[in-house]
Amino acid sequence: MIKACSLSIKEYPILNSSIHVDNMTITNHSRHDIGIAMDSDRGLVVPVIRNCEQLSIMDIAMELNRLRDLAVNGSLSEKDLVNPTFTISNIGSIGGTIMSPVILPPQVAIGAMGKIQRVPRFVSEDSMEVRESHVMNISWAGDHRVIDGATLGRFSNLWKAYIESPMMMAFAMR
């Protein structure tokens, strides 16, 4: 999910920017420092996986596990928590399905993933055949001073395509 997000940010870099309301300027960030919201015994923490654009999926998984272990032990440092350029929340980990994620300024976008649900789906528009399908809702929020809804929608569609087609994502990673 995190690597798919980073690859999608490459195509829609405005989502990886920040807005400075003092002088109404926008800073575009080349580094994909993605904050991952986590539930901990001490409440919500958002550690940051740095340079996701340069990391492999395995590197991201190892860093995510390291940060999760630090969060569980209450050992996250300030360095682990500051200056994300984009944030992902996983409400699915606590059984949530849909939410309205809140942007943490100066970031301009955030995504919230719901739990994967098993649901019935029609095979096609002109068929009455129903099959089992697995669906995950994701909710996005964007600061409309910087991002328009169509850009956020295209970003979401690309992210979805990477998740649904790992081979497409592998080719995008080079």
Side-chain angles (χ1 to χ4, degrees):
M1 307 283 180
I2 298 165
K3 187 63 178 184
C5 185
S6 179
L7 290 169
S8 300
I9 285 171
K10 278 186 182 179
E11 298 298 317
Y12 299 96
I14 194 69
L15 275 79
N16 195 50
S17 62
S18 55
I19 186 167
H20 307 282
V21 293
D22 301 345
N23 54 8
M24 289 309 287
T25 58
I26 299 168
T27 301
N28 295 310
H29 303 285
S30 58
R31 293 171 41 151
H32 300 177
D33 294 342
I34 299 179
I36 306 298
M38 296 179 182
D39 185 34
S40 77
D41 290 341
R42 294 179 172 91
L44 176 69
V45 292
V46 186
V48 182
I49 300 176
R50 309 264 175 219
N51 300 306
C52 289
E53 77 285 0
Q54 296 176 10
L55 300 177
S56 69
I57 292 172
M58 185 60 73
D59 293 334
I60 290 171
M62 290 180 357
E63 180 64 359
L64 182 60
N65 285 335
R66 183 187 76 80
L67 292 168
R68 185 203 61 227
D69 290 346
L70 290 173
V72 167
N73 295 325
S75 304
L76 288 165
S77 70
E78 182 179 352
K79 180 183 166 200
D80 294 321
L81 298 168
V82 297
N83 301 323
T85 59
F86 189 94
T87 298
I88 298 174
S89 180
N90 181 4
I91 61 166
S93 65
I94 59 169
T97 55
I98 299 172
M99 71 172 286
S100 297
V102 178
I103 301 166
L104 176 64
Q107 293 175 64
V108 298
I110 185 172
M113 300 179 296
K115 73 176 184 174
I116 297 172
Q117 302 173 82
R118 189 176 139 234
V119 296
R121 287 285 189 246
F122 289 106
V123 173
S124 68
E125 288 293 320
D126 55 348
S127 171
M128 292 301 291
E129 182 183 355
V130 176
R131 289 199 184 142
E132 174 184 308
S133 182
H134 292 86
V135 175
M136 178 184 73
N137 291 312
I138 184 147
S139 308
W140 300 104
D143 187 327
H144 284 282
R145 294 173 295 182
V146 180
I147 302 168
D148 61 86
T151 299
L152 194 53
R154 288 182 191 101
F155 167 86
S156 181
N157 289 340
L158 181 59
W159 180 85
K160 178 181 178 277
Y162 286 140
I163 298 300
E164 292 177 345
S165 177
M167 195 60 112
M168 178 182 166
M169 188 163 88
F171 283 124
M173 290 170 42
R174 296 186 182 102

